[in-house]
Structure formats: C-alpha cells, structure tokens
Amino acid sequence: MPLIKLDLDRRLGTIDPNVYGMFIEHLGRCIYGGIYEPGSPLSDENGFRTDVLQAARGLQVPILRWPGGNFVSGYHWLDGVGPDEKRPSRPELAWNTTESNLFGTNEFIQYCRALDTEPYICANLGSGTMDEAAAWVEYCNREVGTSYANLRAEHGFEKPHKVIYWGLGNEMYGDWQIGHKNAQDYAKFARLCAKVMKATDPDIKLVLCGGQVLAHDRAAYLDWNWEVLDKCADVVDYIAYHFYFGPVKGQDPHYSTLAQPYHSEQHLRFLWQLIEQVRRDHHVAHPIKIALDEWNVWYRIHDNQLEERYDLTDALAVAIYLNMMCRNCQAIEIGNLAQMVNVIAPIFTSPEGMFLQTIYHPLRLAVEKSGPIALDAYVDCDTYSADYIGLPAVGYLDAHASFDEAAKKLFVSLVNLSKDDAQKVELRLHDADLVSEGQAHIVTGDAPDVVNDFGKEPVTVRSEVLADVSSAFTYKLPPLAHAVLELEVK
Ligand code: AHR
C-alpha cells in the first residue's frame, strides 16, 4: 500500500504565489479573439471578453507575462500606444501574420488591473535597442516630467503603471528567434540593457533569458546558462527556464508524458546549483531565483495558431508539474503557464462562447486548495522505469503537501499515474491530529484521452466529503486521478 508521511515541522520553504502565473502572447487567437475582442457582445467597454475574464479570475492569476514569446523579439512598443487610428499595422515575422497593434502596453496594464494581477513585460532584445528597452521602463514607471512618462500621461495615464517584472528578451539562444545571439553576445547586450533599465527605475526586477534543454544539444543549455549568469548575475533577479513536454517517441504516450516533469526537475535542480555557485563565486548578495516563465504540455500542433486540445493525461501532467514546482519552492519563484487563452491554453473560445480545457482544473485547484508552506512529504509507492529519459524509477503516486498555518489547513495534492489501478494511500501525520471530516477535490475521467469541448466538459472537479479522517487514515485514489485533500488540523 502506498504510504505518505507528513510532519508539519518538516518544511521545504514558502511557495511564492507567483508560481501560479500565466502568459499571453500576440500569437494566434490568444490576444485577438481570446482575451480581447472589441465589438463582441461578450466583451466589455474595453474590448475584454468578460467570459474569459471570469474564467481567468478562477485561476487567481498572480502575474501575467506579455507580449511574447517569439513575438516580442520583433515588437516595438511605441507602435502599440496612443490613438488607435495612428497605430501602424505591421508584418509580424515571428508567426508570419499581421499585427494591428490595437492591443498594446496600456491595454495590457488595464487587463492586468481587471484581472487583479501583476504585469510582467518581456522586453525586445532581438530587434530592439537599449534605448528602446529603457524608454519602455520610463513610459511605464516614471512620474511625469520626462518625455516618455509625459507621453504616457498624454495617452491618458497620469500615474505610472509601476511594472515591477521585466524580462531581458525571450529564448535568445534559438535560431527561430528574431535577432538571436550566441551566449557571449546575449550576455553582453543583456547586461547593458539591464543597467539602463534599472537606472531608469531601480525598483524593477529583471529576468535573464536562461537556456532551454534541447534534445539535439544538451551541452548548449549548460554553456548558455553558465555564460549568461557569469556575466549578468550582479544585475538580475531571476533566470528564465522554459519547458514544453509531451510523450517520448516510441514509448507509452501516457506514462512517458507523466515522467517528463521529473526530467524537468533534474534540470531545474542543476540550474539551481549553478545559480548558487555563480552567486558564491561573484559574491552576489541578492537572491537569484528561477522564473519558469513558459511551461506546459505541448506537442500536437506546430502551426501559427497552436490550438492544442488537452486530454486527461495532460491534466495529470500539469498537476504533477505544479506539485514539482512547489516542492522546489526554494529555487522557483515565478511560473507562467504558456499560454492563458486558445494558444496551448486552459481556456478555449469561439466568437460565441468558451469552454474549460482539462488542464484548467489542476491549475485552479493548485491555487485555490493550497497553503503557503511546502512540506517535505515522504512518499513510498510502486514505480515504473522511464530509463529513456534517465529516470529508472517514476512513482505511480505523485504527492505534494502544503500547510496554511493561519487557517490550520493541510492540503495534500495527489496524482495517481496508473491507468488501471486505484491506489489505497495510507496517510500518516506525525505529532498532530486532524479534524475527522475533510474534503477531497477530484479530477478524473474514464480514459487517458478524454477531452473537453464546447458544451461538453466531462473532465471537471468533483468534491466529496471525507469521513473518518485522523492522524493515520487511508484514502482510495481512483486510477487516472488528481485529488487534493483539504484537511483541518486540530
Ligand atoms: O508559447 C509558444 C512559443 O514557445 C513562444 O512564443 C516561445 O517563447 C516558445 O518557443
């Protein structure tokens, strides 16, 4: 029988709420036709789709990254401010389309205010310049009195937007990126941009562009991270890491997809060690954390719309990935699921309505049913081999426990990876007791490939009462299931 042992005093750290963030890019129908559709009967006076806003509010998004993604590396922010009729339409070279520029900086900030989320702007370090990056910070953050701050006021925004989080480019290592660079050139340019951006507003926090693990060139990832951290550690606060995943070719699609978060975890731990080593070597006193600012299951569709339909396996993979991020809370302080609407997204629209994809539900549970303190859960369970990605033993049971001390609530997030077998999980809590009645919030379905659609959402959250809870009790987790146990500490 699988066993989980918990102790409220054995803590991994505090989970930064920013790990539950989202990302929106000018790509396909994410912005236009997703969050923003002026003239639609479903939109408000700002052109924001209210049905989408409501669904996004359910995710309590703490931080929203914009405008890209690959898009940002050819984006000039001045095109997207001021009167609509003066904004130029431009060829969009990252996704081969046309950008109307009707959704720009001020629309993004208004959207963030409507969603009650912190804006995170990624600057253009591809075709952009140092001056342009610093001017964007000035436009957003300085009090009136200088030209770009005055321009903001002319555009109707007297008070600064106070954007704290800024990215130093997107995936600059990849030859798919406009203006991509080698590590040396990027590090040099990022450092220069970082200095003028911080000089413009010393309160901002900067995210350095970290490398991505590419199957064809693993060494490049290490070299890149080493070089950029070595040159920029003293001027940045985070390093970005992107991870998209899906089944491994030739392997069971379900089990190989679900092994991927652990594969990612290995790389993240390595990156964390590298960060700490560079900080030590360079005597960098301030913390540098990992911003996992693009992550998701994504493997089916590679056109310029990316309208991936998610199934139950994907929902379980997202639940495991969220658990993994929380278990690594000392290292990871920002997470942005890519993306929020239509493009590899939990929310899917048509001009007439929307539905929630399977992956919406673990995302919602992660933020709604969790506490700020990550506990060090001991897990013993059967395993399978994912040797093909260097993992000899992946547990059939994934678990993450969190504690809300003020509310005296313990949350245990579980995933049963098995397609066939229920698992009777024995939970033992050391040196504390639980109120005898709790709740279980469950996401499950009949088959790994079950999907949601307009008017038909078989994968959702079902909540049920748990009776006979105590400091040692058993919970039967169905196959193909994610459950969060909500328990009250006496
Ligand atoms: O999220 C889709 C794309 O994936 C982003 O534009 C890019 O940063 C990444 O490669």
Side-chain angles (χ1 to χ4, degrees), residues 23 25 27 65 68-71 95 170-171 173 176-177 212 242 244 294 298 306 338-339 343-344:
F23 167 45
E25 176 172 4
L27 197 185
R65 180 176 183 251
N70 297 344
F71 169 80
W95 300 101
N170 176 72
E171 296 186 353
Y173 46 81
W176 58 88
Q177 202 69 215
Q212 192 174 6
H242 291 179
Y244 291 107
E294 288 186 29
W298 171 25
L306 310 188
Q339 303 190 1
V343 173
I344 44 172

Side-chain angles (χ1 to χ4, degrees), residues 412-431:
V412 188
S413 167
L414 303 169
V415 181
N416 183 357
L417 283 70
S418 173
K419 282 193 258 192
D420 308 304
D421 301 319
Q423 299 199 58
K424 277 190 173 171
V425 184
E426 187 184 345
L427 286 113
R428 286 193 218 151
L429 177 63
H430 178 72
D431 216 14

Side-chain angles (χ1 to χ4, degrees), residues 49-65:
R49 280 276 298 253
T50 52
D51 53 344
V52 173
L53 253 179
Q54 196 189 342
R57 284 190 183 118
L59 298 174
Q60 298 179 43
V61 182
I63 184 167
L64 188 62
R65 180 176 183 251

